[in-house]
């Protein structure tokens, strides 16, 4: 599946499977819960950034760029998938990795995604917390251009209109899954951070005329800020697709599950990770999907999701970061 008129560099195993979460549905006494396995996109442990990178790398290759730059938190899944995608496309990659306050001391700096970035021999620029990452990349691009280079900067999370096209593709897959299973109404729950995943899903559902709804569970920002972030990517994405931008009432998100802040799990996050491991043999992550699942569990328990025919949890990946959070999951005992 791909969007016509856009170069796409094949990286992902798609369509990803849709599976029932039978134990969890029974325990919560909720409408049936399904999981869309975008943690299984295949590239370097998978995750949601791979779909975006198919379009972003497609564009970089079409422009004959000779270096990929991107940025994120130190344990960025996006940075890891970008480093892998760049290798596969034969282009070197530079990562601007920001320290995130409140994260664990042990393992966080070197294990998990960082270990993988190093295996891909990405050039890592470690920057302090609060750095303007876009500005840092722009400055580096100028330096490279002055030396005759052709750098291709990818924004944090790969979240621009082009990257979001990856989730327009995913929305089409979801519409097909729902159709095959005879499901008429569904609520799709996803972690929402830089906003491209949610924006692409909304655009894709609008494009196919589906009535499925998307509910974002925020991982880093208040409702107001998150809605604005998603809207801006949604507008860019719809402009590329030449469709009308859906009304901003289509952007629904919930900021009750992310505090104390980005990259710092709370008790509900850890409980959700442990619960899904125990009931479904499924791995979530401490930064995104653990928070999104904590939201799903809480909303289903309160009966807030009872009127939909099915709940679809989008598994966006991120499990590589588990190894960086060992001290939070299991204390310092050995
Ligand atoms: C980046 C990421 C998200 C959030 O997606 P956005 O498009 O940035 O909103 C969710 N889950 C995981 C595991 C991620 O790495």
């Amino acid at each position: 599946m791909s969007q016509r008129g856009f170069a796409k560099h094949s990286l992902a195993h798609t369509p990803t499977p849709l599976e029932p979460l039978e134990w969890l549905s029974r325990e919560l006494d909720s409408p049936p819960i399904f999981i869309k396995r975008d943690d299984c996109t295949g590239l370097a442990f998978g995750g949601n950034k791979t779909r975006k990178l198919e379009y972003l790398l497609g564009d970089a290759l079409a422009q004959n760029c000779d270096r990929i730059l991107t940025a994120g938190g130190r344990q960025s899944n996006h940075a890891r998938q970008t480093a892998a995608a760049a290798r596969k496309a034969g282009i070197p990659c530079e990562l601007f990795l920001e320290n995130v306050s409140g994260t664990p001391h042990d393992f966080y700096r070197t294990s998990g995604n960082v270990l993988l970035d190093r295996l891909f021999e990405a050039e890592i620029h470690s920057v302090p917390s609060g750095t303007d990452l876009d500005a840092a990349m722009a400055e580096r691009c100028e330096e490279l251009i002055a030396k005759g280079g052709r750098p291709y900067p990818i924004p944090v999370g790969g979240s621009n209109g082009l990257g979001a096209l990856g989730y327009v593709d995913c929305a089409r897959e979801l519409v097909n899954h729902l159709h095959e299973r005879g499901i008429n109404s569904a609520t799709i729950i996803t972690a929402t951070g830089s906003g491209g995943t949610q924006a692409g899903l909304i655009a894709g559902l609008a494009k196919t005329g589906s009535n499925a709804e998307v509910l974002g569970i925020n991982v880093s920002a208040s409702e107001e800020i998150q809605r604005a972030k998603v809207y801006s990517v949604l507008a860019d994405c719809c402009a590329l697709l030449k469709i009308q931008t859906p009304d901003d009432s289509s952007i629904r998100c919930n900021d009750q599950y992310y505090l104390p802040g980005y990259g710092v799990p709370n008790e509900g996050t850890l409980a959700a990770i442990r619960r899904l491991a125990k009931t479904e043999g499924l791995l979530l992550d401490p930064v995104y999907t653990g928070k999104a699942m904590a939201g799903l569990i809480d909303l289903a328990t309160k009966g807030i999701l009872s009127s939909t025919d099915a709940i679809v949890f989008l598994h966006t990946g991120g499990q590589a970061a588990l190894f960086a959070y060992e001290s939070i999951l299991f204390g310092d005992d050995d």
Side-chain angles (χ1 to χ4, degrees), residues 62-117:
Q63 293 187 32
N64 202 20
C65 290
D66 63 3
R67 189 168 292 248
I68 302 290
L69 278 68
T70 200
R74 180 114 190 133
Q75 283 291 333
S76 167
N77 302 302
H78 165 66
R80 176 245 313 160
Q81 287 163 86
T82 303
R87 281 295 168 205
K88 202 165 178 204
I91 310 176
C93 175
E94 295 187 23
L95 304 174
F96 289 77
L97 300 182
E98 181 188 8
N99 287 321
V100 176
S101 43
T103 50
H105 295 294
D106 300 331
F107 308 115
Y108 188 84
R109 278 190 60 76
T110 53
S111 186
N113 284 301
V114 180
L115 182 147
L116 303 176
D117 297 339

Side-chain angles (χ1 to χ4, degrees), residues 75-220:
Q75 283 291 333
S76 167
N77 302 302
H78 165 66
R80 176 245 313 160
Q81 287 163 86
T82 303
R87 281 295 168 205
K88 202 165 178 204
I91 310 176
C93 175
E94 295 187 23
L95 304 174
F96 289 77
L97 300 182
E98 181 188 8
N99 287 321
V100 176
S101 43
T103 50
H105 295 294
D106 300 331
F107 308 115
Y108 188 84
R109 278 190 60 76
T110 53
S111 186
N113 284 301
V114 180
L115 182 147
L116 303 176
D117 297 339
R118 293 172 68 189
L119 210 44
F120 293 125
E121 296 187 16
E123 187 180 327
I124 297 177
H125 305 275
S126 293
V127 301
S129 154
T131 301
D132 181 338
L133 295 171
D134 289 330
M137 279 195 286
E139 197 178 309
R140 177 69 179 142
C141 281
E142 273 175 32
E143 240 173 68
L144 291 165
I145 291 166
K147 288 190 231 154
R150 294 181 306 278
Y152 189 89
I154 295 177
V156 171
S159 283
N160 54 20
L162 194 62
L165 291 178
Y167 274 85
V168 175
D169 293 349
C170 181
R172 164 49 75 187
E173 291 176 24
L174 283 164
V175 167
N176 291 347
H177 292 306
L178 297 173
H179 181 74
E180 280 159 17
R181 289 175 188 259
I183 297 168
N184 294 318
S185 77
T187 301
I188 300 163
I189 294 187
T190 180
T192 184
S194 61
T197 302
Q198 186 171 4
L201 287 174
I202 294 171
L205 293 171
K207 187 165 181 271
T208 58
S210 166
N211 66 353
E213 291 195 7
V214 183
L215 174 60
I217 306 291
N218 303 11
V219 300
S220 54

Side-chain angles (χ1 to χ4, degrees), residues 48-49 52 77-78 157 159 191-197 285 288-289 316-318:
N48 64 338
K49 303 313 179 308
K52 301 177 182 182
N77 302 302
H78 165 66
S159 283
T192 184
S194 61
T197 302
D285 82 283
Y288 297 94
T289 54
T316 43

Side-chain angles (χ1 to χ4, degrees), residues 206-282:
K207 187 165 181 271
T208 58
S210 166
N211 66 353
E213 291 195 7
V214 183
L215 174 60
I217 306 291
N218 303 11
V219 300
S220 54
S222 68
E223 179 168 344
E224 195 188 342
I225 291 174
Q226 189 64 27
R227 285 169 60 95
K229 262 204 255 186
V230 174
Y231 187 81
S232 127
V233 187
L234 178 62
D236 285 354
C237 183
C238 290
L240 291 177
L241 292 169
K242 299 189 171 67
I243 62 171
Q244 202 185 338
T245 306
D247 188 86
D248 96 326
S249 65
S250 63
I251 303 173
R252 294 171 55 218
C253 68
N254 187 315
D255 61 9
Q256 296 303 299
Y257 305 100
Y258 83 94
L259 290 170
Y262 176 72
V264 188
N266 56 50
E267 265 178 42
T269 320
L270 298 176
I273 293 172
R274 294 189 207 284
R275 183 166 185 173
L276 270 289
K278 264 197 294 197
T279 57
E280 299 281 356
L282 185 83

